[in-house]
Every structure is written in structure tokens, then in C-alpha cells.
Amino acid sequence: MPAPAEPAPSGQPAESVPPVVVSNVVGSFPWSVLAERHPALIRQVRGAFPYGPEQHRALDALLADCTEGVVETLGPEAADRDQWLEWGRGRIGRSWFDVPFLWSESYFYRRLLEAVGYFAPGPWQGIDPFRPFKLAELDTAEADEELAALDELAPRPAEEQEVALLHGSLWGNRADLGFRLGVAAGDTPTASRLVADDGDALRSLLDGGTLCLVADNAGRELIPDLLLVDHLLHHDRITRAVLHVKPYPYYVSDATTADTVDALRRLVDAKGAAGEAGRRLWAAAGDGRLTVRAHPFFCAPLPYADLPEDLRREFAAADLTVLKGDLNYRRLIGDRLYPATTPFAVATAHFPGAVAALRTLKSDVVVGLDAGTEAALVAAEEQRWRTGGTHALIQVRP
């Protein structure tokens, strides 16, 4: 059964808007997330904590439900039950594979948190089920090497540092724990390249104002995001940064306030240039030049076309909003199957204010490519370039 029609973004006629992504094509990327990645994640979470029989039963039920059953409602005690019923209108009782992919993924993570007791009063309330995976990202030899490399970058001209840190933030998006669940051991992406590069246009918008940075993953992706923010503040490229994170655990490795604190502490405790950057960021938080926000919208199964009014005003007032990562990109484009050559400005016309996307490609949705680039990618890799995490883009709409 096809998914119910999704309303067109504001200002676009319905007949001009392509369909949203669903997961009911066996072998497709969205199908593999629901059929393979989510079950693997449930098994990992089940073994990561000494959960009791109640959590084990709930996780096992979720595993059966999301692979073979239909979408069920949250329990009657859930404070956000009515909100999810509203968002899930026309989807409850259907196969997880037949409803919009963006919605089913988001609802899976909400149901997973319910299964482990994250929201319910009790000993597991507020315990991030993904925390062990996130902390492990910060305590690796690779993380040590990346931080030490800052000492080599420090003597270089500020403009050269800025370009390097921008690309560090971009390619840091490959440090995605959810994505790694779908990559075979030893199959680390190596053929990395940009399919669109508006880096110069992005940097031209950094002129001493306010930057909103909507973070994606914690750990080794958040570290380069913070280092980029430090550079921009330290060199007066911006006067204020607002870091938007998730209000609760989401999509395995998505950054929360607690993850931001962990990343800042990792920097503060580092030696050399990394430690200096960490201490500057800590001070910037204290005097208001760096602000962390955790708006509920960022855990909603909604596209950016449905921004609440307070966020719409904030992004409209910012000099630039940078959206990090694949999920933010999908939400920006509405998770719709636009032709890849659709101009980025057309697909993002609904967004208030200047917007930029920094993303490594891990899902089917993409816009803003020229026809020659798309043809070359398809000739070389068919459609694998869209989902393998080996290509990236920097796109800007002033």
C-alpha cells in the first residue's frame, strides 16, 4: 500500500513536488535501514547496559514490531503520546515500511527510548542508551591524532586554517555510528570527494555576525564542528555562535547537550592547540558568545518547511545557518526524491535566511548537482555514490 500523500512545502504547488522517500522497496537503502540497521541497533543497545527483564522484553517486542509488525502507538503514560498521534495520523496500524522514511526512522528512536525507560520515572530515566558508543568515539588513537594535527595547522595563515577546519567539519560527518552499523568490517570509505563545493560562498557570508550551527553527530564529528566555531570566534569572523543540538538521544550518535559538554571537556583536557581552543570555547560559553540550544523540533519527524515560529525567527535573523549531516539535509529537502539537478535554492526556498549544508552522502536524497557531475557519478558507481558516505557536498543559498 502506498504512503499517504504528503503536503507540499509552503509556496510550492503540489504537482511540482516529488514524493517523499518510503522504505518498501526491498534492497533499497531505506529498506536496509529498517530491515537491517535498526535490528542491529536494538541488539547493540540490549547488550550495552545491564537492563532488567522489563527492558529486555520491551526491546524484543520493538524488534518484532518494527520488522514484521505495524506501527503501534506510544503507551498511555507517554507525555508526548498525543503529539505523536497527531504526527502519525494515517500511519498508525500500517507497516513501518509503507510510511514516510523520515517519520518511521524518527518514530523508531522514540519507541527505542520508551523501551529502555528513558522517559519513565525509575532507575533508567535519563540514561542515554547510546552513551557508551559516543564516549568510545572520544577515546581513540584516531581522536588523539586528529587533535594533535591542530599543532601543525596553527602556524599557517588564518584563511588556510579556516578552509582546513571547514573541510574537517564536513568530513567529520563520516564519524556516524548509525551509518557504521551498515558498513561491513574493513569497508571504510576511501574514495572521498566533493560533488558540490560552495565553500567560498559559505565563507563569504562569515562577516562578523551570528552563526547558527545545527549539529549532527557527537564524538569525533562534534569536535571539528567546535574547532571551526572556535576559529571563527577567535578571528572575529563571527561575533556569536548558536549551537543547536538534540534535546534527547536520537539517531544513535546525534549530539545532545551532555555530548557537547563531553566534547568540550575532551578539548579542554587536550594538549597544545586543541587545549587552547577548548579553553577559549569554554570561556565563550561563559560570556555568551557561544550558546547551546536544544529545541524540541530537532527530535520531531518533520521537515524544515514546518519550522516552528520561534526557530523561523531565529534562523531568519542569523547571518548564516549551517546544517550539518545527512538527517538535517534530508529534513531541509523534505526527504523528497527531487531530480539531483534541481537547484539547491529551489529546494530550500522555504528556509528563512541564508542557509548552508555540510554533508557526506549517506542517503538517496540530493539536489544541486550539475548534469555532468551526476552523469559521471552514475556511470562510475550507478547509484551507490548517494549512500556510501564516500562523497560530500557544501551547498549554500545566500
Side-chain angles (χ1 to χ4, degrees):
M1 183 184 299
E6 294 292 300
S10 176
Q12 296 189 44
E15 62 273 12
S16 70
V17 180
V20 296
V21 177
V22 293
S23 309
N24 55 13
V25 177
V26 176
S28 67
F29 176 76
W31 177 89
S32 72
V33 170
L34 269 62
E36 299 169 356
R37 187 184 297 181
H38 286 178
L41 176 59
I42 290 173
R43 288 189 286 269
Q44 281 199 338
V45 167
R46 198 178 191 276
F49 286 94
Y51 290 127
E54 180 181 353
Q55 287 77 31
H56 286 172
R57 285 192 297 269
L59 288 169
D60 292 342
L62 177 59
L63 177 60
D65 183 22
C66 70
T67 54
E68 301 172 4
V70 297
V71 177
E72 305 283 356
T73 62
L74 293 172
E77 71 287 346
D80 54 351
R81 186 175 189 268
D82 290 344
Q83 178 67 82
W84 277 99
L85 283 172
E86 179 182 338
W87 288 332
R89 192 174 302 155
R91 294 160 188 170
I92 303 300
R94 298 169 62 90
S95 166
W96 289 74
F97 294 85
D98 288 336
V99 301
F101 181 41
L102 177 64
W103 190 91
S104 62
E105 269 201 296
S106 295
Y107 193 53
F108 169 80
Y109 284 98
R110 177 59 186 86
R111 288 282 307 279
L112 180 61
L113 293 179
E114 180 181 51
V116 298
Y118 180 86
F119 292 108
W124 295 106
Q125 186 175 31
I127 302 298
D128 183 348
F130 313 127
R131 185 167 173 77
F133 316 137
K134 295 173 179 177
L135 290 177
E137 279 283 302
L138 295 174
D139 188 23
T140 62
E142 291 84 358
D144 291 338
E145 292 169 4
E146 289 163 1
L147 293 180
L150 284 177
D151 293 332
E152 300 177 16
L153 187 64
R156 298 181 185 178
E159 182 175 348
E160 187 176 336
Q161 292 181 43
E162 185 170 294
V163 172
L165 291 168
L166 177 65
H167 282 260
S169 177
L170 169 66
W171 290 110
N173 183 227
R174 288 193 300 181
D176 179 333
L177 301 172
F179 178 70
R180 290 181 181 184
L181 291 173
V183 177
D187 189 22
T188 303
T190 56
S192 304
R193 66 175 183 267
L194 290 174
V195 301
D197 186 2
D198 293 340
D200 289 343
L202 187 159
R203 295 178 57 244
S204 73
L205 297 173
L206 303 172
D207 192 25
T210 296
L211 170 70
C212 288
L213 177 62
V214 183
D216 188 40
N217 297 312
R220 283 172 58 206
E221 178 179 352
L222 188 57
I223 290 284
D225 292 345
L226 290 170
L227 291 172
L228 175 62
V229 167
D230 167 67
H231 173 91
L232 298 177
L233 287 170
H234 186 56
H235 292 276
D236 298 321
R237 298 283 281 146
I238 58 175
T239 55
R240 180 170 176 258
V242 182
L243 181 68
H244 290 269
V245 297
K246 302 298 190 296
Y248 54 78
Y250 196 59
Y251 277 67
V252 190
S253 55
D254 282 24
T256 65
T257 303
D259 300 321
T260 304
V261 174
D262 288 337
L264 284 171
R265 283 177 173 156
R266 179 70 172 86
L267 284 173
V268 168
D269 292 341
K271 299 177 181 178
E276 294 173 7
R279 289 184 284 276
R280 285 194 297 264
L281 286 166
W282 201 280
D287 62 28
R289 288 177 296 128
L290 172 61
T291 303
V292 179
R293 287 198 65 194
H295 195 286
F297 175 80
F298 293 112
C299 286
L302 303 174
Y304 277 99
D306 294 336
L307 277 171
E309 190 55 37
D310 59 339
L311 278 180
R312 183 168 292 277
R313 288 194 302 268
E314 180 171 345
F315 292 153
D319 292 83
L320 176 64
T321 297
V322 173
L323 305 178
K324 282 294 309 293
D326 203 73
L327 176 59
N328 278 320
Y329 191 90
R330 288 168 54 196
R331 296 181 76 181
L332 180 64
I333 308 302
D335 214 28
R336 293 180 180 272
L337 294 171
Y338 284 95
T341 54
T342 303
F344 183 70
V346 170
T348 63
H350 59 84
F351 194 89
V355 63
L358 295 183
R359 173 215 184 189
T360 53
L361 278 62
K362 305 174 191 172
S363 64
D364 294 300
V365 175
V366 67
V367 297
L369 305 192
D370 63 64
T373 297
E374 183 190 15
L377 289 166
V378 172
E381 305 179 40
E382 296 181 342
Q383 298 299 330
R384 293 187 299 275
W385 59 274
R386 293 175 178 260
T387 60
T390 56
H391 298 81
L393 57 79
I394 304 173
Q395 293 176 323
V396 174
R397 195 215 70 207

Short mmCIF file of all heavy atoms in Angstrom, two decimals, residues 8 14 22 24 30 82 106 118-119 144 160 176 184 190 239 252 266 276 346 355 373 397:
data_model
loop_
_atom_site.label_atom_id
_atom_site.label_comp_id
_atom_site.label_asym_id
_atom_site.label_seq_id
_atom_site.Cartn_x
_atom_site.Cartn_y
_atom_site.Cartn_z
N ALA A 8 2.61 19.55 0.20
CA ALA A 8 3.74 20.23 -0.42
C ALA A 8 4.26 21.31 0.51
O ALA A 8 3.51 21.89 1.30
CB ALA A 8 3.31 20.85 -1.74
N ALA A 14 1.52 21.61 -5.38
CA ALA A 14 1.64 20.19 -5.08
C ALA A 14 2.12 19.40 -6.28
O ALA A 14 2.89 18.44 -6.15
CB ALA A 14 0.29 19.66 -4.59
N VAL A 22 10.04 6.43 0.88
CA VAL A 22 9.49 5.37 1.72
C VAL A 22 10.45 4.18 1.66
O VAL A 22 11.44 4.21 0.94
CB VAL A 22 8.07 4.94 1.27
CG1 VAL A 22 7.07 6.06 1.49
CG2 VAL A 22 8.07 4.52 -0.19
N ASN A 24 9.64 0.71 1.27
CA ASN A 24 9.02 -0.57 0.90
C ASN A 24 9.58 -1.21 -0.35
O ASN A 24 9.00 -2.17 -0.87
CB ASN A 24 7.51 -0.42 0.78
CG ASN A 24 7.10 0.68 -0.19
OD1 ASN A 24 7.93 1.17 -0.95
ND2 ASN A 24 5.84 1.06 -0.14
N PRO A 30 16.63 2.84 2.10
CA PRO A 30 15.71 2.98 3.24
C PRO A 30 15.23 1.63 3.77
O PRO A 30 15.09 1.46 4.99
CB PRO A 30 14.55 3.79 2.65
CG PRO A 30 15.10 4.47 1.47
CD PRO A 30 16.15 3.56 0.91
N ASP A 82 -0.01 12.24 22.59
CA ASP A 82 -0.95 12.94 21.72
C ASP A 82 -0.23 13.63 20.57
O ASP A 82 -0.74 13.67 19.44
CB ASP A 82 -1.74 13.97 22.52
CG ASP A 82 -2.75 13.32 23.48
OD1 ASP A 82 -3.03 12.12 23.30
OD2 ASP A 82 -3.22 14.01 24.39
N SER A 106 12.35 8.38 12.71
CA SER A 106 12.22 9.19 13.92
C SER A 106 11.40 8.46 14.98
O SER A 106 11.75 8.45 16.17
CB SER A 106 11.55 10.53 13.58
OG SER A 106 12.36 11.29 12.73
N TYR A 118 13.73 5.51 29.15
CA TYR A 118 14.42 6.79 29.21
C TYR A 118 13.54 7.89 29.79
O TYR A 118 14.02 8.75 30.54
CB TYR A 118 14.90 7.19 27.81
CG TYR A 118 15.63 8.50 27.78
CD1 TYR A 118 17.00 8.55 28.04
CD2 TYR A 118 14.98 9.70 27.50
CE1 TYR A 118 17.69 9.76 28.03
CE2 TYR A 118 15.65 10.91 27.48
CZ TYR A 118 17.00 10.94 27.74
OH TYR A 118 17.68 12.13 27.74
N PHE A 119 12.26 7.89 29.46
CA PHE A 119 11.38 8.97 29.89
C PHE A 119 10.60 8.64 31.16
O PHE A 119 10.07 9.54 31.81
CB PHE A 119 10.39 9.33 28.78
CG PHE A 119 11.02 9.96 27.58
CD1 PHE A 119 11.14 9.25 26.39
CD2 PHE A 119 11.51 11.25 27.62
CE1 PHE A 119 11.73 9.83 25.28
CE2 PHE A 119 12.10 11.83 26.51
CZ PHE A 119 12.21 11.12 25.33
N ASP A 144 43.08 11.18 19.13
CA ASP A 144 44.32 11.80 19.59
C ASP A 144 45.10 12.38 18.41
O ASP A 144 45.63 13.50 18.49
CB ASP A 144 45.20 10.77 20.31
CG ASP A 144 44.61 10.32 21.63
OD1 ASP A 144 43.78 11.06 22.20
OD2 ASP A 144 44.98 9.22 22.10
N GLU A 160 43.91 29.89 5.50
CA GLU A 160 44.21 28.48 5.23
C GLU A 160 43.68 27.59 6.36
O GLU A 160 43.14 26.51 6.12
CB GLU A 160 45.72 28.30 5.07
CG GLU A 160 46.12 26.91 4.62
CD GLU A 160 47.62 26.79 4.38
OE1 GLU A 160 48.26 27.84 4.11
OE2 GLU A 160 48.14 25.67 4.48
N ASP A 176 29.86 8.66 12.02
CA ASP A 176 28.43 8.48 12.31
C ASP A 176 28.21 7.03 12.72
O ASP A 176 28.37 6.12 11.91
CB ASP A 176 27.63 8.82 11.05
CG ASP A 176 26.13 8.65 11.23
OD1 ASP A 176 25.72 7.85 12.07
OD2 ASP A 176 25.39 9.32 10.50
N ALA A 184 30.28 -2.93 6.34
CA ALA A 184 30.97 -4.16 6.74
C ALA A 184 32.34 -3.83 7.33
O ALA A 184 32.96 -2.82 7.02
CB ALA A 184 31.14 -5.07 5.52
N THR A 190 36.95 5.29 1.18
CA THR A 190 38.24 5.89 0.84
C THR A 190 38.16 6.83 -0.34
O THR A 190 38.96 7.75 -0.46
CB THR A 190 39.27 4.78 0.51
OG1 THR A 190 38.74 3.95 -0.53
CG2 THR A 190 39.54 3.92 1.73
N THR A 239 30.64 37.06 15.54
CA THR A 239 30.65 37.60 16.90
C THR A 239 29.93 36.67 17.88
O THR A 239 30.15 36.76 19.09
CB THR A 239 29.98 38.97 16.95
OG1 THR A 239 28.65 38.87 16.41
CG2 THR A 239 30.76 39.99 16.14
N VAL A 252 21.11 7.35 17.20
CA VAL A 252 22.33 6.75 17.74
C VAL A 252 23.33 7.78 18.23
O VAL A 252 23.60 7.88 19.42
CB VAL A 252 23.03 5.81 16.72
CG1 VAL A 252 24.15 5.04 17.41
CG2 VAL A 252 22.05 4.87 16.06
N ARG A 266 36.82 17.13 26.46
CA ARG A 266 37.89 16.43 25.74
C ARG A 266 38.87 17.43 25.16
O ARG A 266 40.09 17.21 25.19
CB ARG A 266 37.26 15.57 24.62
CG ARG A 266 38.27 14.81 23.75
CD ARG A 266 38.90 13.69 24.56
NE ARG A 266 39.72 12.82 23.74
CZ ARG A 266 40.99 13.03 23.44
NH1 ARG A 266 41.61 14.10 23.93
NH2 ARG A 266 41.66 12.17 22.69
N GLU A 276 44.01 24.80 23.85
CA GLU A 276 43.78 26.24 23.81
C GLU A 276 42.40 26.54 23.22
O GLU A 276 41.67 27.40 23.72
CB GLU A 276 44.87 26.91 22.98
CG GLU A 276 46.26 26.83 23.61
CD GLU A 276 47.34 27.34 22.68
OE1 GLU A 276 46.98 27.88 21.60
OE2 GLU A 276 48.53 27.20 23.01
N VAL A 346 16.10 26.29 -5.14
CA VAL A 346 14.69 25.96 -5.35
C VAL A 346 14.18 25.04 -4.24
O VAL A 346 13.12 25.26 -3.65
CB VAL A 346 14.48 25.31 -6.73
CG1 VAL A 346 13.07 24.75 -6.87
CG2 VAL A 346 14.76 26.32 -7.84
N VAL A 355 21.30 29.88 4.23
CA VAL A 355 21.46 28.52 4.74
C VAL A 355 22.55 27.81 3.96
O VAL A 355 22.72 28.01 2.76
CB VAL A 355 20.13 27.73 4.67
CG1 VAL A 355 19.66 27.56 3.21
CG2 VAL A 355 20.25 26.38 5.35
N THR A 373 28.20 16.24 -13.55
CA THR A 373 28.65 15.57 -12.33
C THR A 373 27.79 14.35 -12.03
O THR A 373 28.31 13.27 -11.74
CB THR A 373 28.60 16.54 -11.13
OG1 THR A 373 29.51 17.62 -11.36
CG2 THR A 373 28.96 15.82 -9.84
N ARG A 397 22.72 28.65 0.02
CA ARG A 397 21.74 29.56 -0.56
C ARG A 397 21.78 30.85 0.25
O ARG A 397 21.34 30.88 1.40
CB ARG A 397 20.34 28.95 -0.48
CG ARG A 397 19.31 29.67 -1.37
CD ARG A 397 17.95 29.70 -0.73
NE ARG A 397 17.93 30.59 0.43
CZ ARG A 397 17.10 30.46 1.45
NH1 ARG A 397 16.27 29.45 1.52
NH2 ARG A 397 17.14 31.32 2.45
#
